[in-house]
Amino acid sequence: MKILVAVKRVIDYNVKVRVKADQSNVDLNNVKMALNPFCEIAVEEAVRLKEQGVATEVVVVSIGSKSCQEQLRNALALGCDRAIQVESEDGPDSLSVARILAKVAESEEPGLILLGKQAIDSDNNQTGQMLAALLDRPQATFASEIKVEDGKASVTREIDGGLQTLKLTLPAIVTTDLRLNEPRFASLPNIMKAKRKPLEVKAADELGVNVSSNIALVSVEEPAQRQAGIKVSSVDVLVEKLRNEAKVIA
Amino acid sequence: MSILIIAEHDNANLKPATLNTLAAATQIGGDVDLLVVGANCQTVAEQASKAEGVSRVLLADNSVYEYQLAENVSKLVVELSEGYSHILAPATTTGKNMLPRVAALLDVAQLSDVIKVESADTFVRPIYAGNAIATVQSNDTVKVITIRATGFDPVSAEGGSAELVTLSQVIASDKSRFVGEELAESDRPELTAANIIVSGGRGMGSGDNFKILDGVADKLGAAVGASRAAVDAGFVPNDLQVGQTGKTVAPDLYVAVGISGAIQHLAGMKDSKVIVAINKDEEAPIFQIADYGLVADLFEAVPELESAL
């Protein structure tokens, strides 16, 4: 079985973002970029499924400008077999990404498609679900455990009240939650080897997908800033303040 | 304009997030229909018909909908979508799971986690873990939106008298099957609806130590939450996680115990009215947003707090 993993290049999760002065967007110039943490977990899971003998090949795909090749090489160094970059303007919306991924899936015919549950920049949490809809395949979102046997995937999902397990008929789409696994680090020899692994570049219009969006970004602003309050000297002072000043407890 | 809301429920009770979503719909304006999809969920439909501002309750009650699997519920919603200008769901795990599937089937984009309605086509939503606030305009014919409950005050659960319409469509899903679930049992208020939350982080040291928060939570009638570090370390189950990838809360009082205050945690709680931090590291970032900070060893401060209450 082939596994397709979709990855996204995003701002590093430790970076505090700055909004541009003209409020057109956040400022990504000279900011450290990285593989989206949820995508990293998806890559790790695909590689583990290959190591278990469930998958025969892991193909990683990313959509964006040439710079996302850096994240594709990163995924190759972590154990993916080959990469596809779909060249596009940066920042297509989730539906466009899902349409592109659907085209890639039609030609690659993977048994399982793994994605992160959300990208930490747009925080949309949509692409996997949209892809499943476009391909008319079953989905399991927010996965914390995946077992594949007999053409089915048994997936435990993190839901609001606890955990839920679903059984999906393959081919299927699964999006990863943080607790699915602990991603490995790429070793230097693997980083060197990754440079020789195949990386194919396709254009979005070559796939027949129009990446225009019906959603316009009007403005981006800084959130209202909370000011630091006061430090209290003891528990008794704290309780007194909460009762009489903040009036949040009886 | 006319709006369809997919109700959040557990087949027995309508969940409060539905009432916050109704408030968002009221701000958009127009007739509001509430869809209740589930199995043996007649009582939910009755509760839904009493909620303020609902014109009609559409009830799809069939065993195939028991666990609200995205595969069939999304198809049902698409069948019903004719004539609606907006389709809304609360941004819970159920809403997040199903609504993007609806949007893709309708060939429209989706807006996630909306916190403010500017107009019928313009909405506000947080991006980058809440470190930037985006105003977005949708030109789609149908606006498909999940609503962040903490952004809207709930409408009243009583006083409405919506017409109840029973639907006959039965859409089975043959490629996805429910196997089982493990739901955390708790007598405490639900995290996302609690007025007071006491949360523990890595500083708690172990799962057993979390019990010292229980005493404080009991006295305050509070819910207990956790940071990702505490969940990852196995101290508490994941459904207690507050943050960018867990639950978003905005209680009157949030007490952060042994939590450093990483960006990802702040994303889930920084709209709380009053924030208290108890941490022995006075440099911890949590103190930069806390209204009241106490630099102290939590193992001394928490029991002291319990007896002072």
Side-chain angles (χ1 to χ4, degrees), chain A residues 5 25 35 49 51 79 87 123 126 130 140 147 150 153 177 179 181 193 213 230 249:
Chain A
V5 188
N25 209 332
L35 199 53
L49 287 168
E51 287 166 349
E87 177 83 32
D123 280 334
Q126 299 171 359
M130 288 181 160
K147 284 185 215 146
D150 306 331
D177 216 317
R179 272 164 289 281
N181 60 46
K193 268 187 235 161
S213 178
I230 55 163
I249 59 174

Side-chain angles (χ1 to χ4, degrees), chain A residues 22 33 36 39 71 78-79 110 123 131 141 155 161 168 177 187 189 191 236:
Chain A
D22 65 358
M33 303 296 280
N36 178 45
C39 301
Q71 277 61 47
L78 293 168
D123 280 334
L131 176 62
T141 49
V155 183
L168 311 178
D177 216 317
S187 66
I191 293 170
D236 290 332

Side-chain angles (χ1 to χ4, degrees), chain B residues 9-83:
Chain B
H9 66 90
D10 60 2
N11 291 322
N13 286 298
L14 189 70
K15 296 283 176 162
T18 312
L19 302 175
N20 304 77
T21 307
L22 269 162
T26 311
Q27 292 180 18
I28 295 168
D31 285 339
V32 180
D33 290 355
L34 202 57
L35 171 65
V36 176
V37 191
N40 301 316
C41 55
Q42 182 77 27
T43 53
V44 178
E46 283 159 15
Q47 290 166 18
S49 65
K50 292 187 194 126
E52 191 186 334
V54 183
S55 307
R56 294 191 304 165
V57 172
L58 312 179
L59 173 63
D61 192 334
N62 192 288
S63 60
V64 303
Y65 301 130
E66 186 169 4
Y67 300 101
Q68 298 173 49
L69 299 178
E71 289 76 6
N72 54 351
V73 175
S74 59
K75 284 185 182 159
L76 174 70
V77 174
V78 170
E79 272 194 21
L80 300 172
S81 65
E82 181 82 38

Side-chain angles (χ1 to χ4, degrees), chain B residues 29 38 41 44 79 115 121 128 133 145 152 166 174 180 187 189 243 256 262 282 299:
Chain B
C41 55
V44 178
E79 272 194 21
I115 55 170
D121 66 359
Y128 293 88
I133 304 295
I145 303 168
F152 299 87
T166 306
D174 59 347
D187 303 331
E282 62 182 309
F299 295 105

Side-chain angles (χ1 to χ4, degrees), chain A residues 7-241:
Chain A
V7 300
K8 185 177 185 186
R9 173 184 169 90
V10 298
I11 193 165
D12 185 272
Y13 73 97
N14 279 314
V15 173
K16 177 101 170 70
V17 297
R18 288 185 317 274
V19 172
K20 286 185 187 169
D22 65 358
Q23 301 194 329
S24 59
N25 209 332
V26 300
D27 191 354
L28 294 182
N29 283 322
N30 302 315
V31 168
K32 188 181 175 203
M33 303 296 280
L35 199 53
N36 178 45
F38 291 96
C39 301
E40 210 175 345
I41 290 168
V43 166
E44 175 67 28
E45 195 64 19
V47 172
R48 287 188 191 188
L49 287 168
K50 193 182 168 197
E51 287 166 349
Q52 288 164 23
V54 174
T56 48
E57 188 186 26
V58 179
V59 181
V60 61
V61 55
S62 192
I63 297 154
S65 64
K66 195 171 180 207
S67 52
C68 76
Q69 289 188 7
E70 197 186 318
Q71 277 61 47
L72 287 171
R73 290 287 174 204
N74 188 351
L76 292 172
L78 293 168
C80 296
D81 296 297
R82 66 188 167 85
I84 301 169
Q85 179 214 345
V86 181
E87 177 83 32
S88 137
E89 293 285 312
D90 275 329
D93 69 14
S94 307
L95 185 61
S96 303
V97 170
R99 284 189 187 127
I100 292 169
L101 292 175
K103 291 287 178 192
V104 173
E106 277 164 20
S107 61
E108 294 287 341
E109 298 186 337
L112 185 64
I113 306 177
L114 291 172
L115 302 90
K117 78 164 177 181
Q118 76 191 63
I120 60 163
D121 52 0
S122 55
D123 280 334
N124 273 324
N125 197 331
Q126 299 171 359
T127 306
Q129 295 89 315
M130 288 181 160
L131 176 62
L134 297 178
L135 295 171
D136 195 22
R137 300 269 160 78
Q139 72 184 45
T141 49
F142 330 140
S144 60
E145 196 182 355
I146 304 174
K147 284 185 215 146
V148 180
E149 50 191 1
D150 306 331
K152 302 216 188 259
S154 206
V155 183
T156 301
R157 307 176 54 226
E158 300 204 352
I159 58 169
D160 282 335
L163 299 170
Q164 178 191 66
T165 304
L166 300 178
K167 193 164 253 189
L168 311 178
T169 304
L170 298 178
I173 285 86
V174 176
T175 73
T176 62
D177 216 317
L178 282 170
R179 272 164 289 281
L180 181 59
N181 60 46
E182 189 90 22
R184 68 194 68 186
F185 291 98
S187 66
L188 188 59
N190 284 342
I191 293 170
M192 299 310 286
K193 268 187 235 161
K195 292 186 178 175
R196 292 191 300 275
K197 289 187 179 175
L199 192 161
E200 185 188 353
V201 180
K202 291 182 177 177
D205 37 354
E206 199 180 304
L207 295 169
V209 180
N210 176 358
V211 294
S212 67
S213 178
N214 278 332
I215 292 183
L217 191 58
V218 179
S219 68
V220 175
E221 288 164 53
E222 295 269 357
Q225 291 301 320
R226 267 193 105 98
Q227 296 302 319
I230 55 163
K231 291 238 171 84
V232 294
S233 53
S234 72
V235 168
D236 290 332
V237 178
L238 175 63
V239 172
E240 190 271 323
K241 294 273 186 199

